[in-house]
Amino acid sequence: MFERLFRGFFNKNPLSQLYSTENQELSEENFPMLPLRDLVLFPDTVISIFIKVASDIAAVEEARSRENRLFAVCLKKTETGFSSNEPYETGTVVRIINRLKLPDNTYRVVLQCEYRGTIVSLYPHNDFSVVRVEPIKATGLSEPLNPDDLALIRSIQKSFTQYADYSKRINNDTLSAVERTENPERLANLICNSAYLKSEKKIELLSYTDTRERLLAILETLEKENEIFGIQKNITGKVRSRMDKRHREYVLTEQLREINKELGKDKIEDEYALLEQRIAEKKPPAEVTEKTAKEIKRLKKLQTLSPEAGVLRGYLEWIADLPWSNFSVDSGDLNKAEKILDEDHFGMKKAKDRILEFIAVRQLLNDERPAVSEELPAQNTPENKDIPQPTNQPERQAPSSIKGPILCFVGPPGTGKTSLGKSVARALERNFVRISLGGVRDEAEIRGHRKTYVGALPGKIIQSMRKAGTINPVFLLDEIDKLSSDFRGDPASALLEVLDPEQNSTFTDHYLEVQYDLSKVMFITTANSLHTIPYPLLDRMEIIEVPGYGENEKLTIAKQFLVPKELKENGLSNAKIIFKDEAIKNIIRHWTMESGVRNLERETARCIRRIARRAVNKGYGKDKDISTFKKTITPEKLENLLGKRKFKRDLVYREARTGVTYGLAWTETGGTIIPVETIRYNGSGELLITGNLGDVMKESARIALSYLRSTSDRYNFTDKDISKSDFHIHVPEGAIPKDGPSAGVTLASSLLSTLCKVPPCPAIAMTGELTLTGRVLPIGGLKEKLLAAIRNGMEKTLLPKDNEPDWHELDKDIRDSINVEFVETAYDVFKVLFSESILKKAAG
């Protein structure tokens, strides 16, 4: 219908009449403004547009009373869209030559673009805006056109023809009109209207008043667009040429393959055949065999140097390198296993017993399984160099159906948790692999990346299984409590499947895309604390506590393990170096402050290095035989070798002081003494607590004060009205965070000492959670706390009655080193700490 309308319109109104407005004398007029969005209209054109916005429809209706004329102007674009209040200054006066109202109350209008104009003023009118427009009068060219102007027009026509050829979007009618016209303004309008340029550029070309400058700008724009099209065409040609070359290489390769088959030289494809053979030798599950067969078939069809071929080849290499059925035979000799564990580590009874139980169960299950022939020896990796490798045997037992246990060794640093994992591998005669999880925060570190990514690799689990070379290694996940998480995912959640015996038989790495059986792996994890491990992950592991060492245990470890090791590593194994027991104890007391033995090993090594230097200065090792060198280390010689003492006892007073009591605390590095100091001064009953304490410990202080207020009738408080006293409780070493409920009795004892102005008995440490009714509840970390009390010279320790069974499980040397009294109520604590003078009457 609209095509018929246009034809009829042009038949009645030839172009010479339509464009006659350019030669008329025009003056300023007021028009309703028709805002356009990303559309710029030029004179000498007819266009059909839809009007949908209510304000624009109102402007079209208003045009009925203004000779059907509007001022069409493009709106400025902002970050959020088009601004309805900011049109460009330059636009086009248009006449509505036909309007059609659609069923949805919108319009489709046909506009005849008459002449260019500039907005002089703008003011709102009802729902639309009215603008006063000043026409743009073209200058710069005169009639008739001189040769220079004609040459410019010819150049523009030629550039536009080239532009139309490049873009393929200019219709023939427009191209013919541009080639025929010799009117500069009409030429400029036709080209600007049909060229595909940005609205900002079209506004610029619409705004010129000098016709010559406008034509030059149009020529420059067309030449620039043609240059860009030329570069694109050149790039496209190069890419197509390269693709044709690759296609030619592919055809020639296929032809060469067929020629080789005819000549009997089809073994050129041995690379693929060898890959298939390597995968088949590993005896993977049917799912993996089917997957690799498809991938090899795809690989054969690809060009050798194509990126996808490289990705597939790397993927298949990983499949071929992984152990799918290789396993090592477990040692069933309990005595040998126990001997190996005792050789490497002192103590750790619970951990060793659990490992020996596992070996015993494996041995019973081995007796019920059929034997298989053919030994597949375990891979000897650098980490497994100290682990005996299984020798070839005529028969061996297939892996039992028992699932690998998930053990978690928890204890202070330096207690030998990591090295215990390697000892377990030695005892079982399995391969050993270790992953450090400290600081891992990307889920892909566990599950791997999709192989579609550039540089993709499997996760650490699959990488370590390839390194192990067997399906049943001892797998140590070190520092599992140090995992982090961020926007890249939560590695702890990815470990839920790995560390679940019911799920890890179907573990799927993102890179492999096939299931891998981890159920035969013996997973061992280590942690310093359980608090930072998510509960779902913690629930999948069997917790085995590795407590800190006492002084006598450290002495034994130093004599049996550390000193011989450091003498060997520092070249003095043949010398006669003797460490007196008291010297080692002094190193433990004054140069280390730890639950483990890491610093003890470090200080022992430093001492031996000093001795080695002195031996060399005296000529040993060069002129004298080192075996004749003798040295006995006594306590008196330590400061000469190690310097001044590094550690003194914790903030413990030897004499009794009012308001000062001593609690015991557990930390990730072991136990420690916590002195508590309290003072009282007149006030309004406030309680001030300092020392970098956590919320739980602050609550314990409030509970202690509330309990003493509720029992004020039992004790001889120096102040009759406690509500008029302020109390300040301070726990020294304020830079160290402290929290937990076990300081309840310590805080209550310090407050009672201050209220009664009676100092507690000195050299007594205590621990226990206090309730509002005065009950003393049990605590954890008993061994570490007692070691701290022994280390700081405490004569007696008060423990909750419910911890008595834990006390009897401790080593005899710890129980013999300190006196312990068990208490059930706060009154029992006060009875030990204070004389009866604090009591008003008998209390129970």
Side-chain angles (χ1 to χ4, degrees), residues 29 90 212 232 250 265 368 388 409 538 558 618 668:
E29 287 187 68
T90 306
R212 171 175 282 278
Q232 289 179 340
Y250 173 76
K265 296 182 179 180
E368 300 176 359
F409 297 150
L538 188 64
K618 293 181 179 180
E668 292 183 3

Side-chain angles (χ1 to χ4, degrees), residues 771-787:
T771 69
L772 278 174
T773 57
R775 291 176 56 222
V776 180
L777 301 183
I779 48 86
L782 180 62
K783 182 176 180 180
E784 283 74 16
K785 292 180 177 181
L786 288 175
L787 289 175

Side-chain angles (χ1 to χ4, degrees), residues 336-351:
K336 180 181 177 183
E338 186 174 5
K339 181 180 178 182
I340 290 173
L341 294 174
D342 289 337
E343 282 178 358
D344 294 346
H345 295 85
F346 179 79
M348 299 188 181
K349 187 175 185 303
K350 288 184 180 179

Side-chain angles (χ1 to χ4, degrees), residues 66-77:
R66 296 176 183 263
E67 299 179 344
N68 283 329
R69 283 187 170 184
L70 296 164
F71 186 69
V73 62
C74 184
L75 297 177
K76 293 182 180 180
K77 187 181 290 187

Side-chain angles (χ1 to χ4, degrees), residues 19-29 31 43 67 69 92-93 95 113-118 132-138:
Y19 299 132
S20 61
T21 55
E22 286 289 344
N23 301 318
Q24 295 176 4
E25 288 295 321
L26 303 174
S27 59
E28 295 183 356
E29 287 187 68
F31 300 101
E67 299 179 344
R69 283 187 170 184
T92 304
V93 175
R95 183 188 299 275
C113 304
E114 295 186 344
Y115 60 91
R116 297 179 291 154
T118 305
R132 185 167 186 80
V133 176
E134 179 184 359
I136 296 177
K137 297 180 179 179

Side-chain angles (χ1 to χ4, degrees), residues 491-505:
S493 299
L495 283 174
L496 292 177
E497 183 183 5
V498 176
L499 299 182
D500 191 338
E502 300 299 327
Q503 299 181 34
N504 60 14
S505 60

Side-chain angles (χ1 to χ4, degrees), residues 142 218 313 366 418 437 502 513 519 552 573 576 604 631 655 718 731 821:
S142 59
I218 291 172
R313 193 175 290 107
N366 285 342
T418 302
L437 298 178
E502 300 299 327
E513 298 176 346
S519 61
N552 291 335
S573 57
K576 296 179 176 59
T604 303
K631 187 76 172 179
E655 70 279 2
T718 55
V731 181
E821 191 162 334

